[in-house]
Amino acid sequence: MAAQSISEPSPEPSPEPSDVDFAALRMMRRVNLAVGAVALIWCAAGVARAEAPLIALPSGNAVTLHEVLLDPTPTLGTETAPWARFRFVAPDLRRDGHGQTHAEAAADMDHLCRALVRPYLDLHQLSPSRVVISLADQPVPFGQAAPEVSQFFESYRLVDGACVWEGY
């Protein structure tokens, strides 16, 4: 099953009552309402999606939040909660030897996990089994290959309120 954007309501299938995961549905509705409220506040303040605020990073670079996705749990052992994917646009990433290196980007992603992701998840009362943070030098639709785009990914578990790097 593909990841669904938490900023857009997803069409609800009509499964048999025994197939419905009511806890997951309640969580998705709560997330959709919260993200909708944030979008309304941004619109009222005159902030367009294209004018997303820049987030300063320890490396000196800046990113914008492209999207947050809740991804139904990929098949990994006994995980039962969805993954939370935080996708950022970081124009300073480059593979051609110019721009931010993976080591610099990894430190920035650690910072994003601590400073932005953890508070976001707490605010929205989300408890994903894993957090994936991605940086791309330009927006890419989720799940689409884009070999011309530089992208870095890191995976974390939240343990006792701390971001613990998982590595792929």
Side-chain angles (χ1 to χ4, degrees):
M1 181 183 286
Q4 296 178 351
S5 170
I6 63 171
S7 61
E8 300 173 11
S10 59
E12 294 190 29
S14 51
E16 295 299 315
S18 62
D19 294 340
V20 176
D21 181 350
F22 289 106
L25 285 175
R26 282 192 297 276
M27 179 181 69
M28 289 300 292
R29 285 188 184 125
R30 187 170 52 233
V31 169
N32 284 337
L33 289 173
V35 170
V38 169
L40 286 174
I41 291 168
W42 277 8
C43 288
V47 177
R49 182 174 176 94
E51 299 171 8
L54 288 174
I55 302 163
L57 300 173
S59 67
N61 293 324
V63 297
T64 56
L65 180 61
H66 174 61
E67 64 185 344
V68 177
L69 302 173
L70 286 183
D71 193 3
T73 306
T75 306
L76 287 177
T78 60
E79 292 182 356
T80 58
W83 286 19
R85 297 180 183 273
F86 288 77
R87 303 181 71 223
F88 296 89
V89 175
D92 292 323
L93 295 184
R94 297 287 182 266
R95 285 187 287 195
D96 61 6
H98 298 91
Q100 189 175 34
T101 67
H102 183 265
E104 292 168 333
D108 284 345
M109 287 187 272
D110 290 347
H111 171 77
L112 286 167
C113 190
R114 288 187 311 272
L116 189 139
V117 171
R118 264 194 16 227
Y120 179 98
L121 295 172
D122 290 345
L123 177 68
H124 297 292
Q125 300 176 342
L126 297 172
S127 299
S129 61
R130 197 172 293 214
V131 169
V132 176
I133 296 176
S134 63
L135 303 178
D137 65 358
Q138 58 186 290
V140 177
F142 180 76
Q144 286 191 2
E148 72 284 2
V149 176
S150 295
Q151 299 182 71
F152 297 137
F153 301 86
E154 292 295 351
S155 174
Y156 302 86
R157 287 190 187 278
L158 300 178
V159 179
D160 297 327
C163 294
V164 177
W165 178 72
E166 281 293 304
Y168 283 107

